[in-house]
Each structure stands twice: as structure tokens, then as C-alpha cells.
Amino acid sequence: MEGISNLFVSCGKIYNKLYCNNIADGTWIELELKTGVCKQLNATNIYLGNGWNNGGDYFLEEDGIVYLVENNMKRLAWYDTSLDEGGYYFLNGINYTDVLPNASCAVIYNHRLYIFPRFDTKIIVFNIQDKKIEKYIQISNIVYNHKKNFNIETALFPCGMHIKNSVWLFSPYCDSIVQYNLILNKMFIYKYPIDTGKCIDVSFFNDDFYILDIGGNIIKWSPLTQKQNIVMKTGKPYPAFGRVVVTEKNIWVLPAEENEIIFFDHLISKLVVYDEYPLNFHYILRFEHQSKYFRGCDDKEWYYFAMCASNYMLTINKYTGKAHWIKPIPVPWSERRKFLERLNYPEVSELQGYTLNNLINLTLEYTMQKNIKYINVGNKILNVTLGECK
């Protein structure tokens, strides 16, 4: 039984490789997609902390520099792919919660990194060339007075998505969808689809958005016509499912606390429980109360999903609708320990509240632990009548 040193909560595809934020110790890993081989990045000063609490979220790139927005929006890490060195800049964002990332979306445009908030009304604009915050942009006239219990259900903008030259922010809190046009530096406000629950995740395909709401429904919404319709009902409200992605052939719904993956097959017009898992596939129960595929990235052909709780990484082809699993080959423990020992620990200790030995022991536990509880999946625990499709 393997440990959990491969798990990561976010990833970004850059130069045919995935950059990942390791859940065990917060360090950066470079994953070769063709072979699954993982490489430890050696820049010690891009360390951003452990797991969910202070880990990274959005990986972005410009001119060979990879950027990572910290979950709590305090810092922006950077890594030079040619020099194998990095560092970070302070963003001075407001940290509302350590349970979820504080950003709903991030994008680089015109040498500026735009960070869109989840629990605030101001966009942070960071000038990459000047290496400092250039300005803050107020999001329309939206008012957000929530003061505690920050989570995806109470977020101002629980979902955000970058499409072409715009960023779309979904806000059931104020019954609005905000389109921020990066070229025009202008916002457009749409009414949130009626009879749609709080937004858990959003996918975009063929000019339409697909919203997974808190009730477990998939709502198709057109920004061009403002028309909407329910295309799928899972029959299970959040936190059963946490992600929705759309392909030419099907609509995939991925689990949060549920164990099975389901999809709606357009060809047969039926809801299907996925059962083509790789050998010995399993979820680690230590992470049973977090979304199993929380973050990810994509390119023209594939969706890639962060490996938050399983021993394989999921990818889905946008054209065939087929899933492909990658088995990462972890960085050897001896290499990881050498890296951890080179960390600037007076600084890390102040930020994280524990010593170098604490971190090494924690990482060793994650890496070598042999008694981790897990659940095998692949059997049709759910049946095909669990929901409705239209």
C-alpha cells in the first residue's frame, strides 16, 4: 500500500507538463504527462505551505515564468523555468477562510495578473513587469455583507471562469452573473438563471455554460439568448458531487464526498455510472470530506484534474468523451527530504508555526504510511436510476 505523497490540490499545464502543489508538504512538483514521472522543483523559496490551508491554487505562465496564487491570497509565487529559481510577491489579499481558496478565478492578460475574489468585491490587478499591485477594480455596485462561516455556499462568487477575452463570475448571492471584459475593461451584468440553486461548479462548451447547482442539477445557460434549461438531475445534492465538465459526447459529474463518477451519455440519452477504473484504483479516506477533483486545468483537447484523494490522476478528452488515467511516479523520499532540509526555516516556521523536524516527520508520514484507510471503487454502487436526464 502506497503513501499519499503524490496527492496535489491544484495543477496547471505549461509546456506539456503539469505543475502541481503537493498536498503533503506544499512543495512544487513537475509532472511529465507522457511518463508520469514527477520532478521536485529545487527553488526552496517558492514553498507556500502545507496542504489546503496555505497551498496554491491557480498556475499561470508568461515568458517562461510560472505564477501561483496562494489560497489565502497573501502571496503570489513565481518560478523561472529556465533558471530553476523562484520567489514570491506579497498581494496583501484578505484571507476570509482556510477551507477554500479565496480566489474564484485568475488570469494573465497584457502583462497583468488579474485575481478575482470569491469573498470580496474587488479584483486585484498585479503588474508582472513592475512586480507590484497596480490597482484594485470594484466589481460593479455589488455589496457583500457576509461576515462569518465563509464557504462555497455563502461565497459571493463561488464560481469563476476565463473564456476568451472575458472572465465570468457567478453570484447566486446577489442573483447575478458578471462578465468582465479584459480588453474593454468593462463589466456586463446578467441575471442569474431562475430556479437555479447556488453554484457549485461551472463548465463551458459550444458557447453555453453548464452550472452544477447545490441541488445536484445541471443547468444549461446561454449568455447570448439568456435561455436556460435543466439538462440533468443527479438526484443527490451537494456535497455529493463537486465538478461538472462537458465534452462532445457526454456530461461528466465528478464526486465531492460521493465515491462514484457519473456521466450523461448523449448517444443513448442515459445516465451512466462510470466503471472503467484502472487496477487497484482507490480513494484515501483521510480526505473523504473534501472534493476529490476540486481543481484542475485544460487545453484544447483534454481536461486535467487535481489528484486530491485518489492514487491515479484523471484526464478526460473533450472530443471523444473518454477518460484516461495517469499513474504518477513519485519523487523518491531521499530527494524530497534533502529539499525540505534546504528550506529557509526561520521564515517558514514563522508562517506555519512548526519546525523543520515537524515538517519532515509529517511528510514522511504522508509518504511512507502503510496503514492508510481507503475505499476501492469501480463497482456500481449507484444505479442508473439515481437521477433524471433531459
Side-chain angles (χ1 to χ4, degrees):
M1 174 63 194
E2 64 204 55
I4 58 179
S5 61
N6 279 345
L7 299 190
F8 53 91
V9 295
S10 59
C11 60
K13 183 174 181 286
I14 299 166
Y15 302 140
N16 296 317
K17 298 178 181 179
L18 279 190
Y19 285 80
C20 313
N21 185 227
N22 188 278
I23 200 172
D25 51 34
T27 55
W28 287 28
I29 301 295
E30 184 183 86
L31 189 154
E32 175 59 57
L33 287 170
K34 289 185 178 180
T35 63
V37 173
C38 296
K39 173 188 173 183
Q40 178 82 59
L41 300 188
N42 290 318
T44 58
N45 49 353
I46 58 174
Y47 174 82
L48 282 181
N50 175 266
W52 286 96
N53 291 340
N54 290 315
D57 196 7
Y58 292 95
F59 283 89
L60 303 164
E61 182 273 338
E62 182 172 272
D63 297 331
I65 309 296
V66 180
Y67 298 91
L68 177 62
V69 180
E70 191 173 15
N71 273 354
N72 58 20
M73 288 176 63
K74 294 296 184 181
R75 293 172 291 175
L76 173 68
W78 61 271
Y79 171 74
D80 190 314
T81 57
S82 61
L83 300 178
D84 193 23
E85 63 181 27
Y88 56 82
Y89 311 111
F90 284 98
L91 292 173
N92 300 316
I94 300 175
N95 181 25
Y96 287 96
T97 174
D98 284 335
V99 178
L100 286 172
N102 284 243
S104 64
C105 190
V107 61
I108 293 177
Y109 174 77
N110 193 26
H111 308 302
R112 289 163 179 81
L113 195 151
Y114 293 75
I115 305 172
F116 296 82
R118 177 168 269 164
F119 302 99
D120 203 355
T121 61
K122 293 181 180 179
I123 304 167
I124 298 176
V125 182
F126 184 88
N127 190 305
I128 290 175
Q129 295 177 329
D130 294 340
K131 300 179 176 54
K132 63 180 182 180
I133 294 177
E134 183 175 282
K135 59 182 176 180
Y136 298 90
I137 300 175
Q138 178 69 33
I139 303 176
S140 187
N141 295 318
I142 289 175
V143 177
Y144 183 60
N145 293 320
H146 199 77
K147 298 184 183 301
K148 61 181 180 179
N149 298 325
F150 294 101
N151 54 55
I152 196 166
E153 297 181 36
T154 62
L156 175 59
F157 299 111
C159 301
M161 179 165 279
H162 176 215
I163 307 295
K164 297 180 180 178
N165 296 316
S166 292
V167 171
W168 296 77
L169 303 172
F170 291 75
S171 181
Y173 182 91
C174 59
D175 200 28
S176 301
I177 297 175
V178 179
Q179 177 194 8
Y180 178 70
N181 188 297
L182 294 160
I183 297 177
L184 301 177
N185 190 27
K186 188 175 180 180
M187 295 183 195
F188 302 88
I189 309 296
Y190 303 82
K191 184 172 177 57
Y192 193 77
I194 59 173
D195 298 324
T196 300
K198 294 177 181 178
C199 175
I200 300 301
D201 192 37
V202 175
S203 186
F204 184 81
F205 197 78
N206 285 346
D207 298 326
D208 294 318
F209 286 99
Y210 292 77
I211 302 169
L212 170 62
D213 77 0
I214 198 168
N217 306 309
I218 309 297
I219 295 89
K220 179 180 177 181
W221 177 75
S222 169
L224 298 177
T225 65
Q226 306 293 291
K227 292 182 178 180
Q228 69 183 74
N229 64 294
I230 297 177
V231 295
M232 177 176 173
K233 293 182 178 181
T234 68
K236 293 200 171 188
Y238 181 81
F241 297 102
R243 296 294 311 274
V244 57
V245 290
V246 183
T247 76
E248 291 279 4
K249 305 295 183 181
N250 43 37
I251 302 172
W252 290 77
V253 187
L254 306 180
E257 293 188 8
E258 183 56 71
N259 289 323
E260 296 289 354
I261 295 172
I262 61 176
F263 64 88
F264 177 65
D265 190 321
H266 294 312
L267 181 63
I268 60 176
S269 296
K270 286 186 178 180
L271 189 66
V272 179
V273 179
Y274 179 78
D275 64 354
E276 298 180 5
Y277 293 91
L279 182 66
N280 295 324
F281 177 88
H282 57 256
Y283 293 124
I284 296 164
L285 292 183
R286 184 169 186 160
F287 302 95
E288 59 187 319
H289 296 301
Q290 70 181 38
S291 181
K292 296 177 175 66
Y293 301 92
F294 179 70
R295 277 284 181 240
C297 59
D298 67 319
D299 56 25
K300 291 182 179 180
E301 187 176 1
W302 292 91
Y303 294 108
Y304 305 90
F305 298 94
M307 206 169 77
C308 301
S310 63
N311 58 334
Y312 283 82
M313 176 185 167
L314 172 64
T315 68
I316 297 175
N317 189 285
K318 294 182 177 181
Y319 301 103
T320 67
K322 298 289 186 180
H324 172 69
W325 298 90
I326 296 173
K327 179 69 169 177
I329 301 172
V331 177
W333 166 244
S334 58
E335 292 185 23
R336 298 187 69 201
R337 180 177 183 118
K338 288 179 182 178
F339 172 82
L340 294 172
E341 289 174 343
R342 291 192 291 111
L343 286 172
N344 180 8
Y345 233 77
E347 180 178 0
V348 174
S349 179
E350 180 181 351
L351 291 169
Q352 302 300 324
Y354 45 68
T355 67
L356 176 59
N357 284 336
N358 292 150
L359 179 65
I360 289 178
N361 290 335
L362 176 66
T363 305
L364 179 60
E365 175 195 354
Y366 274 23
T367 305
M368 310 298 284
Q369 189 174 166
K370 296 181 179 180
N371 297 314
I372 299 173
K373 294 181 180 179
Y374 65 95
I375 180 170
N376 283 97
V377 299
N379 298 321
K380 294 192 175 182
I381 297 173
L382 307 178
N383 59 56
V384 294
T385 61
L386 86 171
E388 304 173 20
C389 300
K390 295 182 179 180

